Amino acid sequence: MVVLGIESTAHTASVGIVDDAARILALAGDMYRPPAGGIHPREAANHHVDWFPGLVERALADAKVSPREVEAVAFAQGPGLGPCLRTGATVARTLSLLWRRPLVPVNHCVAHIEIARVLSGLDDPVLLYASGGNTQVIAYGSGRYRVLGETIDVGIGNFLDKLWLSLGGTFPGGPALERAALEGVELLPLPYSVHGMDVAFSGMLTSVLAHRQRGASVPDMAYSVEATAYSMLTEVTERALAHRRKGSVVLGGGVACNERLRRMVREMAEGRGATMFAPPKSLCVDNGAMIAWTGLRAFRSGLAIPVERSQVQPRQRTDLVTTPWRDA
Ligand code: AMP
Ligand code: MG
């Protein structure tokens, strides 16, 4: 069985094709990079309109499959930016109608955990999902993926991007801060905002910019932000492992490309005898392969929908979607 997946929740337009042995036959994408400032949803959506036709063609060519061999078309239904989601959904509906193939909705956060599960072979991990707009600790329990903890203000990636823009840089800020942090030596005091299982970052932004006013160097700021913010994420992830009695943790989201975060979560996991797995970076960031793979699982569980009921859900919650393939 071959399924094509469309990802367009935010800045990335991506098409993935997978088969039922979880082989990724093709992955073609492009990320919208605003010339200045943050992401404007409408402009990102325009980028996706320009890119999707070529990406679909390229993915089919790379996978060496014809549309006839594609058995279902999956798309990210939410959560995400409305205009971006609608663009991807329109592409998916078009292919579904054109090729007469079932249309399968996928929750973007569930897709991050499903791709990590199949790549790692870990059956029941905790997911630390650290991306631009989302920061959540997710695990399966009682028939649903449950959000055990999350940011109560901005996503960690948006926070890093905002900081880097405030320092005169361009999007994306996370990778640039990672490079700068390597040169940092002094740990500046920053608010460590863990509230039970939840985290917050906006106070840290205010505080680190105040350090800037007092002459702190960019490498020290980057190092201190990484050390503090990633400690917060590691702490809530550890608490999820402990309380849910899970033996493994997987990473997802663009910020999970960060080597310091990977190292910290690995050390925490190993310290308590748990396994840690981080997907390759191309599958940590938003990608169509995870949508295709989760769509394949969902399709096999009978979760196809008619076009008339395929509205996007920008605020779709992880714990509101059913995952029958996990319950079986
Ligand atoms: P996503 O929303 O999952 O596509 O991820 C995009 C976010 O990941 C942006 O906020 C980037 O700044 C961030 N990001 C990407 N690479 C890194 C990195 N190496 N370290 C920290 N953040 C990163
Ligand atoms: Mg994502």
Side-chain angles (χ1 to χ4, degrees):
M1 168 179 282
V2 171
V3 173
L4 180 143
I6 300 280
E7 159 61 34
S8 73
T9 54
H11 44 61
T12 298
S14 175
V15 180
I17 301 179
V18 304
D19 68 11
D20 45 6
R23 278 186 302 232
I24 295 169
L25 306 179
L27 179 56
D30 191 75
M31 185 171 114
Y32 171 66
R33 286 167 193 270
I39 299 175
H40 190 290
R42 191 67 252 164
E43 281 159 21
N46 289 342
H47 160 273
H48 300 350
V49 170
D50 291 341
W51 276 83
F52 264 126
L55 292 172
V56 171
E57 265 181 31
R58 201 167 92 211
L60 289 170
D62 289 353
K64 298 191 178 57
V65 301
S66 71
R68 241 173 302 117
E69 293 167 274
V70 174
E71 287 182 53
V73 178
F75 71 104
Q77 189 177 31
L81 305 172
C84 300
L85 284 168
R86 281 193 287 278
T87 303
T90 303
V91 173
R93 288 180 199 121
T94 306
L95 297 178
S96 160
L97 292 171
L98 192 68
W99 298 343
R100 298 199 180 85
R101 290 295 183 269
L103 186 62
V104 185
V106 169
N107 175 278
H108 176 90
C109 310
V110 168
H112 273 292
I113 193 164
E114 288 299 337
I115 194 75
R117 277 180 72 221
V118 69
L119 292 172
S120 64
L122 297 166
D123 185 48
D124 190 25
V126 168
L127 169 72
L128 171 58
Y129 176 31
S131 78
N134 298 293
T135 304
Q136 298 183 329
V137 179
I138 298 173
Y140 186 79
S142 310
R144 294 286 164 95
Y145 280 115
R146 308 281 168 182
V147 178
L148 304 177
E150 64 190 315
T151 177
I152 53 176
D153 48 32
V154 293
I156 172 98
N158 286 356
F159 156 62
L160 298 172
D161 295 336
K162 210 165 190 173
L163 171 58
W164 192 243
L165 289 177
S166 306
L167 297 175
T170 53
F171 176 88
L177 284 165
E178 177 168 34
R179 284 189 295 276
L182 296 175
E183 311 291 324
V185 286
E186 191 191 341
L187 185 64
L188 307 165
L190 294 173
Y192 185 93
S193 271
V194 172
H195 308 274
M197 287 297 292
D198 295 330
V199 291
F201 299 107
S202 54
M204 200 185 307
L205 181 64
T206 310
S207 173
V208 75
L209 291 174
H211 281 294
R212 176 69 169 166
Q213 297 291 323
R214 294 195 286 273
S217 73
V218 170
D220 283 347
M221 291 163 67
Y223 163 62
S224 307
V225 160
E226 284 203 345
T228 309
Y230 299 161
S231 293
M232 289 160 47
L233 297 182
T234 306
E235 180 188 328
V236 290
T237 306
E238 175 162 29
R239 202 171 302 125
L241 282 167
H243 288 301
R244 289 295 167 131
R245 298 183 205 287
K246 305 276 188 191
S248 56
V249 53
V250 296
L251 299 185
V255 183
C257 295
N258 186 279
E259 296 295 343
R260 187 188 307 272
L261 178 62
R262 288 174 175 233
R263 201 164 58 237
M264 289 169 69
V265 176
R266 172 163 287 121
E267 280 171 14
M268 175 277 288
E270 288 174 357
R272 48 182 302 114
T275 310
M276 180 274 199
F277 173 80
K281 294 181 182 178
S282 60
L283 297 173
C284 271
V285 298
D286 293 347
N287 67 88
M290 68 180 190
I291 304 300
W293 171 246
T294 310
L296 189 150
R297 301 294 309 263
F299 176 56
R300 285 196 153 166
S301 305
L303 290 185
I305 51 169
V307 164
E308 305 78 65
R309 287 205 291 109
S310 63
Q311 289 87 348
V312 301
Q313 297 183 18
R315 295 182 182 279
Q316 188 177 63
R317 291 280 306 179
T318 307
D319 34 19
L320 287 182
V321 298
T322 56
T323 53
W325 64 91
R326 282 254 12 198
D327 315 334

